[in-house]
Amino acid sequence: MENGFHLKLLDMVQVEWGGQAVRGFESQKAIALLCYLVVTNHPVWRSQLADMFWPDKSEQRGRGNLSRVLSGLRSLLPGCVQAD
């Protein structure tokens, strides 16, 4: 079995972890957030992400949505997403 995280961005986004396809993302926004974090490759403020991905929501609602999506990403990809 191949170890590690692989993200294919061209055509249809594909995520692999430990050689297995990862499924079960809560939304396309969750996949877009993961892609953004990987491509950016540096820490990003939560408020910036909330505003970027949920611009039509209040800051509190956007941050709540972000927390939920990050929690889902951490569950699907243990050890790949760090949020503090």
Side-chain angles (χ1 to χ4, degrees):
M1 177 166 82
E2 185 180 335
N3 292 324
F5 171 76
H6 295 276
L7 177 65
K8 297 175 185 175
L9 297 174
L10 296 178
D11 198 15
M12 188 170 141
V13 175
Q14 296 176 356
V15 181
E16 293 181 4
W17 175 246
Q20 299 294 318
V22 178
R23 307 244 188 283
F25 292 95
E26 98 173 41
S27 65
Q28 291 296 314
K29 228 174 241 194
I31 295 170
L33 175 61
L34 176 64
C35 293
Y36 178 80
L37 293 172
V38 168
V39 170
T40 302
N41 195 31
H42 63 77
V44 183
W45 292 101
R46 284 178 184 257
S47 57
Q48 180 184 356
L49 293 172
D51 188 48
M52 183 184 308
F53 285 91
W54 293 276
D56 58 328
K57 305 292 184 198
S58 68
E59 182 178 351
Q60 181 180 1
R61 182 70 182 253
R63 288 174 65 99
N65 289 347
L66 177 63
S67 291
R68 187 185 70 248
V69 169
L70 287 172
S71 177
L73 290 176
R74 285 193 305 267
S75 293
L76 288 172
L77 301 162
C80 283
V81 179
Q82 181 182 354
D84 53 14

